[in-house]
């Protein structure tokens, strides 16, 4: 795990005050830079030592075989894996022929800072070579939000003693050696050196490499150019081979003199464009980056982020760690989606190879809700990506003998890439998750054009799936059988309550959209009879409930299953999926992650307050949180049912998942859904945000340790600011016309907010909390509140 002292608590920075080799891979994920199109892991400039090298382009993948011990009809035959593309981060330094390597000589100081307002990763080090020569190095790296294909590095070397002969080697390198990612030799063979060289070009101050993947046939180009400032007699030359291009800069520095090198990087890829077209594309991107120059790129980056933070910032008073972490989470969520532009937002963004770079339902139910209220253009693009994969989803449905579209559980380009069928095939709730993301986006933005152009078709095809997948029994009750909900420890069961409730909303949303766009619906072949059947299915949907103990059932029959023996499950046996057979997990009352509790968040309108309280107490005792997706949802419901202190501990777990490496797997990339979950826990938990019926609703109430929570939301082009204090909340409106009015609810009471009339209302006292929820033995929240400082 990452030691807390490695990252001091600061509101706008993540600062590494020393280089810890034991957590190098984790820090590379934390310090990764991306814009949703290009992603650079936070590797050291000189490339070595490293935990896991990584340079990624959104949706640039290689096909690989999916291994099965015993295949079955409908199993996907191949998967997609994100590829580590050409590394342009490398800048090696030789000091009087001695390579700068922090493992040798003496590292006198080392600091890295992720600046979340500037959008840069800054590094400073002071190094003494084995021969006793000293240099100071300062580097600043950015991936541009405004120029989608561009990244840049400002690299400065100062001679402390001297004169020193310095050689800087700036490189593009393809087919880097990587740690093994799979034990299957077929997979390893595909992913080892996945790029085939097509063209290499060098210039005096840079070069270019073009490669393509062996199986998927995707083509990638990477280019670099340099600006050099230093002594008059500095030399610069370039050389290249099929997998690498190197620009070498040499000079002699006197004590106190500085060599400055600005490295411009551009990337492009395509499955269709020709080699000359791709070459020209990255060349044009280089010209644009150099036109702005380093200072111009930095100004554009800061201006972009100033606008983002004005619309998205969350202010937290009372827990400085959460304040830092929620901004860290928002920043990474922005990096994952800002310039994805009709490409997926994956579970790890572009920070590492975890989950093979796949996007899951996490995107729609954790990441997109945050972006909908903070950066809605990114959501528009994400929905376009899902729509672009519709034909593949239709083909998958046909394979499964279903109608309409069956969207994949995990994918990069659209085909199902999971070889584990209880999740990959049976997790049909992804269809309703996509529909809900669309519903929320249109509600928040008022973008009826997108709803008409692609939204209607997505709603129709997902509604048709539920009518095909579900059925009415002899008593007229509608059931959806043999599915897996969000909880992967309760797989292939009948009437998962999350799936049924989300499908119910999906069916009603589709029927309503058909009424709004009748001509377009007719073009899709929707009849009045079909739309009525959707309403019937929604009205007749089975919602499992145990009358004997007074709680809803996660799936039909869940409460009669055998209880898991938590008392005799040692801590080292978690996560359970790595130590127990799925057969044992599937038939007992043990829950990997919030499922019914998640339904009470997103479909809270389907439960009474008393039902939520009883359900939460019951399922809290059975949820082990073997998934990073769980803590934020448990925080939201703990806050709602009257346990704000428990909610705060779950908030901390979600928010600090990667900064503390709580699951010990941050090395593979940050947990995008958990980072988004920090925002959700604060805004939906302590802020009480809900949007069930098309109206913004808030029920704010803070934990005892929070003295203030302030956040912004985008709503129909305006910016609503919510300032929550222990005893009152103020709602104000910005970026609105004087006569604009937003109607919302505060603890159930309607209020109206205009630009010139903020509204301050009291926060009603909390109801008695009742019994304190209990977790399974040994599975209490991972991070308790720090002791109060005197």
């Amino acid at each position: 795990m990452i030691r807390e002292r490695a990252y001091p608590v600061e509101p706008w920075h993540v600062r590494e005050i020393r280089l810890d080799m034991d957590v190098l891979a984790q820090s590379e994920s934390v310090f990764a830079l991306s814009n949703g199109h290009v992603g650079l892991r936070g590797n050291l400039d000189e490339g070595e030592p490293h935990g896991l090298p990584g340079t990624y382009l959104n949706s640039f993948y290689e096909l690989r075989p999916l291994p099965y011990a015993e295949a079955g009809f409908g199993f996907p035959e191949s998967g997609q894996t994100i590829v580590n593309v050409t590394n342009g981060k490398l800048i090696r330094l030789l000091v009087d022929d001695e390579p700068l390597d922090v493992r040798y000589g003496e590292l006198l100081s080392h600091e890295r800072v992720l600046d979340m307002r500037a959008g840069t990763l800054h590094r400073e080090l002071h190094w003494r070579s084995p021969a006793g020569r000293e240099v100071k190095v300062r580097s600043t790296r950015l991936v541009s939000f405004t120029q989608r294909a561009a990244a840049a590095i400002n690299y400065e070397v100062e001679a402390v003693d001297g004169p020193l002969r310095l050689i800087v080697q700036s490189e593009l390198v393809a087919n880097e050696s990587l740690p093994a990612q799979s034990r299957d030799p077929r997979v390893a063979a595909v992913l080892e050196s996945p790029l085939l060289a097509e063209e290499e070009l060098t210039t005096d101050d840079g070069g270019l490499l073009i490669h393509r993947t062996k199986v998927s046939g995707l083509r990638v180009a990477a280019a670099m150019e340099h600006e050099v400032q230093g002594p008059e007699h500095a030399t610069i030359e370039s050389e290249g081979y099929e997998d690498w291009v190197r620009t070498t800069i040499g000079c002699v520095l006197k004590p106190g003199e500085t060599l400055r090198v600005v490295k411009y990087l551009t990337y492009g890829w395509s499955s269709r464009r020709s080699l000359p077209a791709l070459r020209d594309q990255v060349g044009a991107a280089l010209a644009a980056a150099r036109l702005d120059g380093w200072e111009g790129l930095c100004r554009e980056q800061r201006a972009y982020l100033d606008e983002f933070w004005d619309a998205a910032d969350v202010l937290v008073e009372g827990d400085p760690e959460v304040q830092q972490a929620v901004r860290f989470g928002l920043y990474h969520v922005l990096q994952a989606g800002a310039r994805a532009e009709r490409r997926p937002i994956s579970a790890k963004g572009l920070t590492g190879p975890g989950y093979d770079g796949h996007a899951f339902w996490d995107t729609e139910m954790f990441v997109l809700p945050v972006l909908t209220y903070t950066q809605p253009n990114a959501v528009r693009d994400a929905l376009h990506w899902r729509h672009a994969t519709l034909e593949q989803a239709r083909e998958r449905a046909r394979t499964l003998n279903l109608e309409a579209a069956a969207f994949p559980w995990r994918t990069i380009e659209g085909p199902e890439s999971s070889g584990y069928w209880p999740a990959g095939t049976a997790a049909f709730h992804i269809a309703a998750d996509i529909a809900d993301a669309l519903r929320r986006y249109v509600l928040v933005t008022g973008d009826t054009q997108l709803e008409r152009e692609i939204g209607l078709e997505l709603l129709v095809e997902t509604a048709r799936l539920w009518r095909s997948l579900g059925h009415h029994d002899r008593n007229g009750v509608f059931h959806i059988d043999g599915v897996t909900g969000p909880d992967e420890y309760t797989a292939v069961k009948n009437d998962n309550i999350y799936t049924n409730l989300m499908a119910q909303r999906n069916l009603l949303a589709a029927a309503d959209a058909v009424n709004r766009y009748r001509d377009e619906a007719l073009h899709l072949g929707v009849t009045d009879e079909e739309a009525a059947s959707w309403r019937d299915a929604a009205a007749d949907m089975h919602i499992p409930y145990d009358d004997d103990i007074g709680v809803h059932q996660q799936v039909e029959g869940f409460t009669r299953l055998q209880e898991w023996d938590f008392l005799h499950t040692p801590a080292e046996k978690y996560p359970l999926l790595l130590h127990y057979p799925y057969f044992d997990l599937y038939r007992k009352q043990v829950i990997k992650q919030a499922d019914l509790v998640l339904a009470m968040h997103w479909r809270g309108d389907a439960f009474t307050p008393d039902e939520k309280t009883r359900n939460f107490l019951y399922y809290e005792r059975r949820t082990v949180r073997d998934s990073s997706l769980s803590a934020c949802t448990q925080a939201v419901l703990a806050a709602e049912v009257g346990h704000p202190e428990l909610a705060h501990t779950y908030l901390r777990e979600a928010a600090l998942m990667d900064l503390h490496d709580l699951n010990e797997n941050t090395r593979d990339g940050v947990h995008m859904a958990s980072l988004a979950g920090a925002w959700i826990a604060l805004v939906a938990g302590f802020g009480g945000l809900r949007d069930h019926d098309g109206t913004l609703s808030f029920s704010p109430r803070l934990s005892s340790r929070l003295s203030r929570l302030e956040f912004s939301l985008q709503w129909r082009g305006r910016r609503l600011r919510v300032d929550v204090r222990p005893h009152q909340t103020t709602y104000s409106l910005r970026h609105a016309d004087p006569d604009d009015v937003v109607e919302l609810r505060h603890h159930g009471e309607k209020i109206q907010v205009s630009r010139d009339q903020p509204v301050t209302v009291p926060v009603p006292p909390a109801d008695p909390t009742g019994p304190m929820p209990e977790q399974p033995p040994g599975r209490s929240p991972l991070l308790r509140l720090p002791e109060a400082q005197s």
Side-chain angles (χ1 to χ4, degrees), residues 76 94 169 299 365 400 465 531 559 592 603 618-619 759:
L94 287 85
Q169 296 174 318
R299 283 193 302 270
M365 297 314 296
L400 299 174
L465 174 72
T559 54
K592 180 181 181 183
R603 282 300 318 273
Y618 186 87
Y619 287 93
V759 177

Side-chain angles (χ1 to χ4, degrees), residues 667-728:
R667 73 180 308 276
D668 296 324
V670 298
H671 297 76
M672 210 57 64
S674 188
L675 294 177
W679 185 95
I680 292 171
L682 284 165
V683 175
F686 295 114
L689 168 67
R690 300 292 187 273
D691 55 19
H692 298 312
D693 61 356
T695 301
L696 280 180
S697 173
F698 300 90
S699 299
R701 191 171 283 124
L702 302 178
S703 72
S704 63
R705 290 296 296 267
L706 295 180
S707 58
R708 185 182 182 190
L709 169 65
E710 189 177 3
F711 56 88
S712 282
L713 303 173
Q714 298 206 42
W715 178 259
R716 305 290 174 89
R718 308 125 166 168
R719 293 182 185 175
L720 177 69
R721 193 74 177 167
V722 183
D723 188 352
V724 184
R725 309 294 177 97
H727 303 294
Q728 67 180 36

Side-chain angles (χ1 to χ4, degrees), residues 582-641:
Y582 274 112
F583 161 75
D584 211 15
L585 298 170
Y586 287 172
R587 64 194 186 96
K588 294 180 180 177
Q589 291 192 55
V590 58
I591 301 167
K592 180 181 181 183
Q593 64 203 68
D595 189 308
L596 184 146
V597 175
L598 185 67
M600 292 196 298
H601 176 197
W602 294 119
R603 282 300 318 273
D605 54 325
F607 302 86
T608 69
D610 286 344
E611 288 172 342
K612 290 178 183 177
T613 297
R614 292 195 303 271
N615 287 341
F616 186 76
L617 289 171
Y618 186 87
Y619 287 93
E620 183 77 354
R621 292 195 295 269
R622 292 158 176 83
T623 303
V624 296
R625 298 191 329 284
D626 282 349
S627 166
S628 62
L629 300 180
S630 198
C632 71
T633 298
Q634 289 172 265
V636 170
L637 266 296
E640 182 173 352
V641 302

Side-chain angles (χ1 to χ4, degrees), residues 335-379:
Q335 287 197 133
R339 302 301 304 273
E341 296 180 6
R342 306 195 181 189
R343 295 290 179 182
I345 299 174
S346 71
K348 296 289 188 178
L350 297 175
T351 67
Y355 301 116
D356 287 322
H358 292 163
F360 295 74
W361 67 279
D362 315 4
T363 298
E364 279 74 18
M365 297 314 296
F366 293 89
V367 176
L368 294 194
V370 178
L371 290 172
T372 298
Y373 282 107
T374 60
Q375 190 78 354
N377 286 341
V379 181

Side-chain angles (χ1 to χ4, degrees), residues 403 540 638 716:
E403 295 177 7
D540 299 334
R716 305 290 174 89

